[in-house]
Structures are given as structure tokens and as C-alpha cells.
Amino acid sequence: MNDLNTAHRARITLAAINRALTPIGYDAFPGPDLDALPDVSAPTDQEIHDAITKVKGDVGKSAEIQALAARAWLASTGTAKGLEHGAWVTAWETCRAALPAISDEIRGKYAGVADRLREAATGAFRGTADLKTLDLHSLPTPLAKQAGAVVEDYRVAVALHGAWRAIWAALHEGAPSHWAEVARPTQAQYTHARDSKPQQWPSADPWSVASKDWEGDLPESLKAARERRAAYMHTAKDAEDQRRAEGARRGMVGGFGVSLL
């Protein structure tokens, strides 16, 4: 059962990776060549009948009958399924070994697209909350062409992010979607978003990030995204603690009537 479950997970995960990578121009990882596996299927009734009718004398001495018996025994052991399961696991492991390098390639491509989206979101298309609201037919031709390029960049960015996320989910790093996996704001930008009333976080969407003038950036992994978020939180907390300590120090000095000038 464990072999069956492992093979099932391998087949499902490989298919998920291919669905994510194909839209961004990567060739699909192949499944196993099951036709290359040894044939250990059980003989059919017709094969057995034909072999027996050809035997002259003791059927136990017939090489053909012995071969059929061997096939029947092998089939009864589940060997064929075991070989198939192993082939699927091997195909997934081959894919798995290549994924970190592909993730790095995706991150590089995403950075370029995210820069163009940020330029558009803070320039000609400032204030456009949702690109779906753009009516290219009603825009002047030069702006319509620019809008079309922005929409295409957005589509590519979404696909790249989806592929990156699929890779790390497949590598057992699943996590709820969060802005930290697509953005690298400055510490000041993070603190401003946190301290706003209400808080002004972008969603884990390339255009949402670009519209806040945050740098679009995919971290090394989903784990790195969680660490990125934690680093912003800790830095902001350390700054607050430092301000409070400084305020307390000044208060103590003032209480003793000592001038700070």
C-alpha cells in the first residue's frame, strides 16, 4: 500500500508541476516509459489453450507451458504493478532534482517583469486598482498598446509566481498565500503599511504589490518567504523597543533635572 500511495503522489505531483511550468515555456517532465517495462502480465485463456493443444506428451516438459506458468506466477505476485510504481517514483525524483534550479530561473524572470509592472503602476496607470477595468478599445492607440503590454506582463507575472509556488508546494513547503512571497518592500514601506489605519497590505498579487510601489521579488522558497516576513516584523519591533528605551532614558534624565542641551 505504501508503494501504491507513493507512486500515486508521484504521479499527481508530477502532473501538477507540468501544469504550472508549461504556461511559462518549460517542457513537461516526462512520465515513465511503461512500455519499456518487462511484460509480466498473466497469460490469457486463449494463450493457455493454444499452448496446451500444441503439446505432444507431458505438458510439464513444454517450454511454452513453463513460460506461461512463470508469467502467471509473476502476475500473481504484483510484480508488474511494483515495477510501474517504481517507475513513477523515479520519474518524479528526476523532476524533483531539477526544480530548485528552475525556481532560480523563474525568480530571475519574475524580477524583470515585476519591475515593468511597478513602473506602469506608479506611472501611466497609477490609480488603476484592477487591470481588468482597462478598456483597451477606448484608450488612445499609444496608451492602448502600452496597456496591452502591461496586461501581458501581469499575465506572465501571475504564471511565473504560480509556477514558483507549485515548485515549493511540491517540495513540501506549503503555506498560505502572503505578500511576502512576491514583494520586498523597504523597511519604511513595511512599517507604513503596518501602522496605517486600517493597515494597508498588498495581496499576494503582482499588480497589488506594484501599485504600492513595492519591489516585486520572489524569495528562494516559501520557507524564505516566511523568514522574510519575520525579519520585517522583528526589525520593526526592535526599532520600537529602541525608541521606547530612548524615551525612558530621556525621561529619567529629565527627572533628575539634568539638561540634555
Side-chain angles (χ1 to χ4, degrees):
M1 183 60 70
N2 287 335
D3 289 342
L4 174 62
N5 289 339
T6 302
H8 178 71
R9 286 194 298 271
R11 185 165 57 250
I12 296 300
T13 308
L14 187 63
I17 288 294
N18 284 335
R19 284 196 301 271
L21 292 182
T22 300
I24 60 173
Y26 283 85
D27 292 334
F29 283 93
D33 182 6
L34 300 180
D35 292 335
L37 297 178
D39 180 11
V40 290
S41 60
T44 64
D45 291 343
Q46 187 63 50
E47 286 178 305
I48 295 172
H49 176 271
D50 292 345
I52 290 176
T53 56
K54 286 192 262 181
V55 173
K56 304 299 182 182
D58 187 356
V59 296
K61 295 181 180 180
S62 166
E64 186 174 359
I65 293 294
Q66 291 176 4
L68 292 178
R71 280 178 55 194
W73 174 76
L74 286 171
S76 70
T77 65
T79 300
K81 282 298 179 184
L83 292 172
E84 181 178 332
H85 295 162
W88 274 108
V89 171
T90 298
W92 160 238
E93 290 299 332
T94 298
C95 169
R96 179 189 180 97
L99 291 181
I102 292 176
S103 173
D104 286 342
E105 293 174 2
I106 290 172
R107 293 176 62 216
K109 294 176 181 178
Y110 187 90
V113 178
D115 282 347
R116 293 196 297 272
L117 288 176
R118 185 181 183 186
E119 181 179 355
T122 57
F125 299 95
R126 178 185 292 275
T128 303
D130 188 341
L131 291 175
K132 292 179 182 178
T133 63
L134 291 177
D135 183 2
L136 273 60
H137 298 291
S138 66
L139 296 175
T141 300
L143 192 58
K145 289 182 178 180
Q146 189 176 352
V150 171
V151 170
E152 176 60 17
D153 277 341
Y154 174 73
R155 184 196 66 78
V156 171
V158 169
L160 288 169
H161 172 228
W164 173 88
R165 196 170 220 287
I167 285 174
W168 292 103
L171 296 176
H172 309 297
E173 285 196 4
S177 184
H178 193 272
W179 64 259
E181 65 190 61
V182 291
R184 185 192 293 275
T186 65
Q187 188 65 40
Q189 288 173 326
Y190 168 87
T191 302
H192 174 75
R194 187 201 61 174
D195 293 345
S196 297
K197 304 295 182 183
Q199 292 182 334
Q200 298 179 3
W201 304 113
S203 64
D205 175 82
W207 186 251
S208 178
V209 169
S211 295
K212 289 193 67 63
D213 197 18
W214 287 14
E215 179 185 358
D217 178 76
L218 299 177
E220 292 183 358
S221 65
L222 281 168
K223 178 183 178 182
R226 293 192 294 271
E227 292 172 347
R228 169 185 286 179
R229 182 188 181 192
Y232 282 113
M233 295 170 66
H234 292 158
T235 299
K237 183 179 183 302
D238 288 346
E240 289 175 351
D241 291 344
Q242 184 175 353
R243 286 194 296 271
R244 281 195 292 267
E246 180 65 17
R249 186 185 68 80
R250 288 176 178 272
M252 291 176 64
V253 171
F256 287 110
V258 178
S259 174
L260 297 178
L261 298 178

